[in-house]
Amino acid sequence: MTDINALRAAYQEARLRAPHWNSYRLATTLGVSEGELMAARLDDTDTLGEEVHGLALTPCDLALALPRLGELRIATRSRHGELTSLIQRMTVRGNDYSAALKAQNGLSMQWLLPHWHWACLRRSFSKSHTLGWTLQVFDRFGQALHTLEACEPRAGGWSWLLDKALDEVPRFTRRIATPTPAIDRQALLTTWQHLRHHDDYRRLLSDHGLSPLDLNRALEGRFSRQCAPARFSTALEEALESQASIVLSMPSRAGLHRHATTLQQIERHPSHLAIQGRKVTLGLDTDALTSVWQVERCSESCLEHWLEAFDSDGELMASVRLAA
């Protein structure tokens, strides 16, 4: 039995035992990346009524095709968090390097398209009827950058995507940890005051080889300070009570998912926090939340205050911009 066949069999067994688990949780349980799991299922219609196809589209062509898919639910994950937005109307503009999505409900997304390593289309069906579509975009490590689910399965763009299927198995690589370089704190402090856009912050991290947590530590005492982990949920509860407009954000090396909203509900569970705004939800694994930092950033028009939540490995889980 090949590794692919073994993984297919393990997936089928796991899905039968836990039918409500999503593909991310199933992949984690099986000890593989979500991209590896989806690639193993190419050209294999499973007995539970779902098929997976790779797509023969450039990242730019795929990004520009998204408005053809009708109403969508788009989710962006960190390791311990997920930001999900409902998109009813959108515009997408871009080139071979980057693209930006804008929607009328406060959603904005920025994508660095060279990180889009592979995309797959999943179709669930019963007999000859299509029940739903899911589009996933993965980076070269097999991590799902974005998962888009159809709210209108009959929108013409989905069948158009299916016509672009190419079931060629992608190659993924393993992530290698790199040591933190020496930090020139004074240079960072000087540069920080002149940054105005998200691209400026992303470029600063890249140029210095820093993670967001490394940067916060370097700026501590001037533009950042560490808070108690409970501060993240407390700030959201204050925003819910005051009905202040905030911005929920899921930044990554591959882009940015932001949604401006007012909060409608916060649900506390033993190990999970569920935040609901207008057309947007944010879920966080609170057991994994280890540190929270408050960061001051300059935008073109004002000074912004952000709270950033990190897990025990220093990975950014999610961030929120507080009302001024």
Side-chain angles (χ1 to χ4, degrees):
M1 179 181 289
T2 66
D3 290 341
I4 286 180
N5 287 335
L7 188 50
R8 284 176 178 172
Y11 167 80
Q12 290 282 0
E13 178 68 18
R15 194 168 173 215
L16 285 170
R17 292 177 178 271
H20 301 299
W21 285 10
N22 60 25
S23 57
Y24 174 79
R25 190 171 181 183
L26 287 169
T28 301
T29 301
L30 295 173
V32 297
S33 71
E34 194 172 0
E36 289 173 303
L37 180 60
M38 291 300 109
R41 299 179 57 214
L42 288 173
D43 197 28
D44 176 55
T45 301
D46 66 34
T47 57
L48 299 176
E50 186 174 85
E51 59 188 17
V52 177
H53 299 282
L55 294 176
L57 288 168
T58 67
C60 181
D61 287 341
L62 178 57
L64 295 177
L66 296 183
R68 303 172 62 175
L69 303 181
E71 187 174 341
L72 294 171
R73 184 172 289 104
I74 182 166
T76 305
R77 284 197 59 86
S78 63
R79 186 162 53 176
H80 298 291
E82 184 172 69
L83 182 61
T84 303
S85 296
L86 184 66
I87 315 175
Q88 293 173 308
R89 294 181 181 177
M90 71 178 108
T91 59
V92 177
R93 293 183 173 87
N95 51 44
D96 289 341
Y97 180 75
S98 65
L101 179 153
K102 296 286 185 183
Q104 296 178 341
N105 61 353
L107 169 67
S108 64
M109 302 190 72
Q110 296 175 337
W111 299 315
L112 298 176
L113 297 180
H115 287 272
W116 287 25
H117 178 69
W118 183 65
C120 74
L121 180 66
R122 291 155 50 191
R123 181 173 76 103
S124 56
F125 58 90
S126 176
K127 298 180 180 180
S128 60
H129 300 289
T130 298
L131 303 178
W133 299 96
T134 300
L135 172 65
Q136 287 190 288
V137 179
F138 299 91
D139 66 12
R140 62 190 178 96
F141 304 110
Q143 177 182 342
L145 298 175
H146 307 290
T147 300
L148 301 93
E149 296 181 352
C151 298
E152 300 177 44
R154 294 187 179 182
W158 291 105
S159 57
W160 179 85
L161 281 183
L162 188 60
D163 288 339
K164 307 300 179 183
L166 176 66
D167 293 342
E168 181 178 329
V169 178
R171 293 184 178 182
F172 297 107
T173 60
R174 298 293 179 183
R175 193 183 299 274
I176 300 175
T178 56
T180 302
I183 296 175
D184 185 342
R185 184 171 187 268
Q186 189 55 50
L188 287 175
L189 290 171
T190 301
T191 304
W192 184 261
Q193 301 175 66
H194 301 288
L195 305 184
R196 294 295 181 270
H197 304 283
H198 171 71
D199 285 346
D200 297 333
Y201 299 113
R202 178 188 54 76
R203 194 174 299 112
L204 179 67
L205 293 173
S206 177
D207 290 347
H208 291 266
L210 299 176
S211 70
L213 183 57
D214 294 331
L215 183 59
N216 288 349
R217 288 169 173 164
L219 300 174
E220 188 171 10
R222 286 287 302 277
F223 301 106
S224 69
R225 65 181 180 88
Q226 190 169 3
C227 311
R231 175 57 185 154
F232 198 84
S233 57
T234 300
L236 290 169
E237 288 169 348
E238 291 171 353
L240 174 63
E241 183 176 353
S242 66
Q243 282 298 283
S245 178
I246 64 171
V247 177
L248 301 175
S249 178
M250 189 71 70
S252 72
R253 293 181 180 88
L256 179 68
H257 181 165
R258 281 186 179 176
H259 203 131
T261 187
T262 54
L263 297 184
Q264 297 176 317
Q265 185 177 357
I266 297 176
E267 296 181 5
R268 283 180 173 271
H269 304 280
S271 61
H272 187 77
L273 191 67
I275 300 105
Q276 181 177 338
R278 298 182 186 278
K279 309 293 185 182
V280 60
T281 59
L282 173 64
L284 285 179
D285 179 355
T286 50
D287 282 349
L289 198 162
T290 302
S291 66
V292 171
W293 289 75
Q294 182 165 323
V295 184
E296 292 183 357
R297 296 180 182 173
C298 289
S299 68
E300 291 181 309
S301 58
C302 64
L303 183 65
E304 299 177 348
H305 297 274
W306 288 86
L307 282 181
E308 298 182 342
F310 295 88
D311 65 19
S312 59
D313 291 326
E315 293 287 331
L316 182 59
M317 298 170 61
S319 58
V320 56
R321 191 185 77 191
L322 304 175

